[in-house]
Amino acid sequence: MNNSTNLRRLIVLPLLCFLLFSGTMSAYGQQERVSLELNNVSMTQFFKEIEQRTAYKFFYKDSHVEDAPMVSVSAKNTPLRDVLNNVFSQTSLTYEVSGNQIVITGKEAKTQQQEIIVSGLVTDPAGLPLPGVAVMIPGTTRGVDTDLDGKFQIVIQPGETAVLDFKMIGMEDYTLRLGDRAYYEIVMQESQLQLSEVVVTGIVDKKAESFTGSVSTVTSEELIRAGNQNVFESLKNIDPSIYIMDNLTQGSNPNALPGMEIRGTSSFPVDENEIGVELKGNYGNIPNMPLFILDGFETTVERVMDMDMNRVESVTILKDASAKALYGSKAANGVVVIETKKLKGNQQRVTYTGSMDIEMPDLTSYNLANAREKLEVERLEGVYTATNNVEEQLKLNKLYNDRKKLIEEGLDTYWLSKPLRVGVGSKHNLNIELGDSRSLKGVADFTYNKINGVMKDSYRRNISGTVNLSYRYKNVVFRNIMTAVSNMSEDSPWGSFGDYARMNPYWRSNDPETGLLERWAETSSFTPNPMYDATIGTLYKSTYLDFTNNFYVEYRPTTHIKVDWTYGISLPNAVVQMSFYRPIIPLFLPIPI
């Protein structure tokens, strides 16, 4: 009997203590005081501030708080419950405390006593009525469509949310929160499809789910994050399937055009001693290079490298046979389709972007012998030893002694550093947008970009300007893009870096008395000084002026049919392209006219 009583005590007493302790902690928590100063913040921000200052955690549905109004709190050593009551009185939400959890729920909506009739007109940014727009009541299956004049009328039943959703293919979704009015005028904006939803081929934009080819798309944001030098430098850091070869011979020469491979190397070699160079001369390009399409027109590698990256909207890489089906045999190595940014919105704004680029030489991998070490290695290898020729041996002995004497005097020339510098370049972009809410939009873009290479006096400078105009008249859109690029490039007059790597450290670059450059690095052997070429007016300079004007006409006789006509002029060539296609439903394929 005593054992049974003791056992009950061992079980019941700890349980009573736990319940008493929990009740005490709950009561204590409700009396917890906080100090808080918040002005016009969201409910989620308010929850975070309370959780940081107390042991409480909030539990809620996003749908309950996403539409809650901004709240303000001013509390100093105030009980938590008073703070909560004050905040929730500003909203249509309520709460319940359970232990250290605060559960948020919505207050029961007041039942409306009568139905509401809402009517209105739906138009596009040009003021034209939009027929066939779906007007839905969220959370229900009830809705109506706008008529041929873009008008609608819908009945809101008691208890239904005072919100209407407007949806139409090709237009951005629009949500209307009803107020005291019964009539509304809605303006829907044209939809800007996400790049993940469509594939831009340069001829027709197709739904991603209906495109069967191998394709990779890079957005403008991804390009900028990967680098701001040029499109090629960014692409090779993003897509591993794109191979952009490092030109080890050219090094960091800013004027060296990159080599690019998408589908691997073809059977055409590109070695200097083989047929690839002949093919390059005949076709004006490297045989393994893909085809580049800029805004629907073929362009060159140099033009892509020099274009302003701020103008790029997307880069689409077509990798398989689908590219050849669209562009023919030129696309055998793949296609790189570049689309520039189109006019968006109706705001007037001016944007400036500036950046600085630094090119620094890295010579840490060159572990070369100094003057004393190099001379000793040559002696051990028998450079200064003649076999059975006394006269020749005397000459070699004198050459060795002369070089050793210079070394003893402190001569140790580090030739690798002579033609190098830290290249500091800059890039400036000015963008001016002018928009009209009805029909006319325009944007002007001006860019100055100068890249200084690590070889002294090498640089590449681009000055470009673009004017993009768009005009809408009923179902017809006219668009014109005019671009001018002025390029000036200059290679270093200091010669090839390989020449400096072959120079011996016991040779002089400058006269020790006057400090002037020596014509000969070593007079006795008549070894020329590669630095001397930079003083005699050596010049490796080139310039070009590129002008392009692309004109587009787009006609939509119905919502699902679009007719495009394009005309492009690029000095000194002109290109005309016409096409008829229906890009919205992927069942139809492009039909050239």
Side-chain angles (χ1 to χ4, degrees), residues 13 66 89 117 129 137 140 146 191 197 202 214 237 326 338 379 553 567:
L13 287 178
E66 62 183 5
S89 66
I117 300 177
I137 301 175
T140 71
T146 58
S191 175
E197 300 173 357
S214 177
N237 296 324
L326 290 170
I338 302 174
R379 186 188 67 80
V553 179
Y567 179 81

Side-chain angles (χ1 to χ4, degrees), residues 162-226:
V163 176
L164 293 177
D165 287 339
F166 297 79
K167 300 178 181 293
M168 183 181 181
I169 295 178
M171 309 299 288
E172 297 283 355
D173 294 347
Y174 187 91
T175 299
L176 172 65
R177 303 190 182 281
L178 302 178
D180 298 332
R181 295 182 295 156
Y183 180 84
Y184 296 87
E185 291 185 356
I186 310 300
V187 178
M188 299 187 70
Q189 302 293 331
E190 293 183 1
S191 175
Q192 301 293 334
L193 293 178
Q194 298 296 319
L195 291 174
S196 58
E197 300 173 357
V198 298
V199 175
V200 180
T201 66
I203 295 178
V204 56
D205 298 350
K206 299 197 66 177
K207 289 283 188 178
E209 60 268 21
S210 68
F211 188 78
T212 58
S214 177
V215 63
S216 176
T217 300
V218 180
T219 64
S220 58
E221 291 79 8
E222 292 172 325
L223 285 174
I224 295 298
R225 283 199 300 266

Side-chain angles (χ1 to χ4, degrees), residues 113-164:
Q113 300 300 320
Q114 59 183 3
E115 62 185 22
I116 302 174
I117 300 177
V118 178
S119 61
L121 172 67
V122 182
T123 64
D124 64 6
L128 300 175
L130 291 176
V133 178
V135 185
M136 302 295 298
I137 301 175
T140 71
T141 58
R142 296 199 312 110
V144 298
D145 293 336
T146 58
D147 59 18
L148 295 177
D149 297 325
K151 298 179 180 180
F152 71 93
Q153 181 174 300
I154 190 170
V155 178
I156 308 296
Q157 300 291 346
E160 290 181 340
T161 180
V163 176
L164 293 177

Side-chain angles (χ1 to χ4, degrees), residues 43 46-47 58 68-74 80-95 104-107 110:
M43 289 295 291
F46 168 71
F47 296 158
F58 287 87
M70 298 294 185
V71 297
S72 298
V73 182
S74 179
L80 176 60
R81 184 172 293 277
D82 293 345
V83 174
L84 295 176
N85 290 338
N86 176 48
V87 169
F88 281 92
S89 66
Q90 307 174 37
T91 69
S92 59
L93 303 174
T94 186
Y95 71 95
I104 310 301
T105 58
K107 295 178 182 177
K110 297 181 179 179

Side-chain angles (χ1 to χ4, degrees), residues 270-532:
V270 294
D271 187 76
E272 292 184 1
N273 299 321
E274 301 186 48
I275 195 173
V277 171
E278 181 181 349
L279 286 172
K280 178 180 177 181
N282 291 339
Y283 293 97
N285 206 339
I286 301 175
N288 300 318
M289 190 73 77
L291 178 67
F292 294 92
I293 301 296
L294 176 61
D295 285 334
F297 295 92
E298 184 177 348
T299 189
T300 63
V301 178
E302 190 171 30
R303 180 71 181 86
V304 174
M305 188 179 77
D306 289 336
M307 73 178 300
D308 178 22
M309 287 183 59
N310 293 305
R311 292 186 56 232
V312 177
E313 176 69 23
S314 67
V315 179
T316 302
I317 299 98
L318 307 177
K319 306 175 182 179
D320 58 5
S322 61
K324 194 171 182 180
L326 290 170
Y327 291 98
S329 60
K330 286 186 176 182
N333 297 312
V335 180
V336 178
V337 180
I338 302 174
E339 290 287 311
T340 58
K341 293 182 178 179
K342 297 180 175 60
L343 303 177
K344 299 180 181 179
N346 304 306
Q347 297 181 350
Q348 291 77 36
R349 60 182 176 182
V350 177
T351 306
Y352 167 78
T353 304
S355 63
M356 182 176 66
D357 302 315
I358 300 178
E359 296 273 350
M360 302 181 65
D362 181 11
L363 301 177
T364 56
S365 60
Y366 292 89
N367 186 15
L368 304 181
N370 59 30
R372 188 179 300 278
E373 293 170 343
K374 180 67 188 303
L375 186 65
E376 180 64 16
V377 169
E378 291 176 345
R379 186 188 67 80
L380 295 176
E381 291 296 323
V383 175
Y384 304 101
T385 301
T387 305
N388 301 324
N389 191 328
V390 177
E391 184 178 353
E392 182 66 23
Q393 183 63 55
L394 292 175
K395 292 181 180 179
L396 292 177
N397 289 340
K398 182 179 185 306
L399 179 63
Y400 175 80
N401 292 329
D402 290 343
R403 291 176 175 176
K404 185 176 181 180
K405 179 182 178 182
L406 292 175
I407 294 174
E408 296 295 338
E409 293 175 355
L411 178 62
D412 188 8
T413 306
Y414 189 58
W415 288 95
L416 294 183
S417 64
K418 296 300 183 181
L420 302 183
R421 66 176 179 183
V422 176
V424 180
S426 61
K427 185 177 182 179
H428 308 273
N429 175 260
L430 180 65
N431 184 274
I432 304 173
E433 296 184 43
L434 301 174
D436 185 342
S437 61
R438 298 193 61 84
S439 57
L440 182 63
K441 299 178 184 178
V443 60
D445 189 278
F446 304 96
T447 300
Y448 173 86
N449 184 20
K450 186 175 182 181
I451 303 172
N452 290 317
V454 295
M455 291 289 288
K456 292 179 179 179
D457 300 326
S458 65
Y459 69 90
R460 190 176 188 86
R461 187 226 64 192
N462 291 309
I463 301 176
S464 62
T466 300
V467 177
N468 189 338
L469 297 175
S470 176
Y471 178 75
R472 176 188 292 273
Y473 178 74
K474 295 184 178 180
N475 294 335
V476 183
V477 177
F478 302 92
R479 189 160 64 100
N480 191 85
I481 303 177
M482 182 177 64
T483 303
V485 178
S486 174
N487 170 273
M488 179 179 293
S489 59
E490 183 173 348
D491 291 344
S492 174
W494 292 72
S496 171
F497 184 73
D499 295 337
Y500 294 86
R502 289 187 288 268
M503 299 297 288
N504 285 316
Y506 47 70
W507 290 341
R508 276 203 176 102
S509 61
N510 298 77
D511 186 285
E513 296 181 359
T514 64
L516 300 177
L517 286 176
E518 295 276 13
R519 176 65 182 88
W520 303 99
E522 187 177 57
T523 307
S524 59
S525 61
F526 293 101
T527 302
N529 183 356
M531 298 173 60
Y532 189 77

